Amino acid sequence: MIRIVTTVALLVSLTYEAHAQSQAQLPTQAPGKIDQAIASSWTTAAPDWQARLNQDGLHAICSATRNTPPKDVAEKIIAEAKASINYPADGKLIGDWKKGEAIAQSGYGLRFTDTDKTRAIGGNCYACHQINAAEVSYGTLGPSLAAYGRIRKFAAADTRAVYEKIYNSHTVFPCSHMPRFGTAGTLTIEQITDLVALLMDPASPVNK
């Protein structure tokens, strides 16, 4: 971890040096005004959102390398991502696909206006993926997941891979755009198994 932090510091330093001349032309007060504008945009109803302005080590690496870290750094990212995964105590990776569909449809809990702490957080999966063919509204940032389990013949290895990818997407692609739902604590282990069921359960409409 120390070596990764050192690498982050070096990469960020090099990035700043590379842009020093162009940044020198900016008004000296610009950064302060920008910071003030950003800070004032957060409501007192959701003070925890202030933390989102601060990058963690992984974000810093990906920003400094434009999402293409060197091979050795990428390998460390993958190793740390895999080490971060917690699995269900009972070993069952497939939950309830009906609950999984509801989680995939819901974006609640990820916006600064979502202040009801008793309401379950959603995955907002349709914002990036096609999943159930019956749903006509979906994003295309991520690949289509239609018929995902059927195409893979519902293999146990693929089921595990789906769980790990949802829990921490960097187990597969360093600097992935997909959120780290499990590692970040956005979704619970049970919710993740329900999403796995949506993709891998033969009974799920995704696989019809």
Side-chain angles (χ1 to χ4, degrees):
M1 184 63 187
I2 293 176
R3 292 181 62 188
I4 290 181
V5 171
T6 301
T7 302
V8 172
L10 176 61
L11 290 172
V12 172
S13 176
L14 291 174
T15 300
Y16 285 151
E17 290 179 11
H19 293 281
Q21 291 184 340
S22 60
Q23 293 299 313
Q25 302 302 317
L26 294 174
T28 57
Q29 296 300 317
K33 291 181 179 180
I34 292 173
D35 290 341
Q36 290 174 12
I38 293 175
S40 66
S41 69
W42 309 113
T43 67
T44 55
D48 54 314
W49 270 60
Q50 289 281 353
R52 299 194 180 194
L53 299 178
N54 302 318
Q55 291 186 322
D56 64 14
L58 175 61
H59 287 144
I61 290 174
C62 295
S63 293
T65 63
R66 295 178 179 262
N67 295 327
T68 55
K71 182 179 178 181
D72 60 330
V73 177
E75 290 174 349
K76 291 176 182 177
I77 290 174
I78 291 175
E80 288 198 356
K82 290 183 176 179
S84 75
I85 297 176
N86 291 315
Y87 298 91
D90 60 6
K92 296 180 180 179
L93 300 180
I94 296 181
D96 184 333
W97 70 260
K98 293 180 181 179
K99 292 180 180 179
E101 173 67 10
I103 294 167
Q105 290 280 0
S106 173
Y108 192 85
L110 305 178
R111 301 160 296 196
F112 72 90
T113 53
D114 299 336
T115 57
D116 183 357
K117 301 300 183 181
T118 65
R119 184 172 171 180
I121 293 177
N124 201 26
C125 307
Y126 279 99
C128 295
H129 299 281
Q130 178 188 30
I131 307 177
N132 188 336
E135 175 57 67
V136 297
S137 178
Y138 53 85
T140 57
L141 177 62
S144 173
L145 303 177
Y148 194 91
R150 178 160 52 85
I151 291 172
R152 290 159 180 78
K153 303 184 186 303
F154 309 106
D158 288 305
T159 298
R160 185 182 181 87
V162 169
Y163 180 91
E164 293 177 347
K165 178 69 180 293
I166 297 173
Y167 198 99
N168 190 331
S169 59
H170 300 273
T171 58
V172 182
F173 299 113
C175 296
S176 169
H177 292 295
M178 183 172 170
R180 295 167 284 174
F181 287 109
T183 303
T186 305
L187 299 178
T188 66
I189 287 177
E190 181 180 0
Q191 285 180 305
I192 294 174
T193 62
D194 290 337
L195 287 174
V196 173
L198 180 63
L199 298 181
M200 299 300 295
D201 190 333
S204 170
V206 172
N207 294 310
K208 299 302 181 183

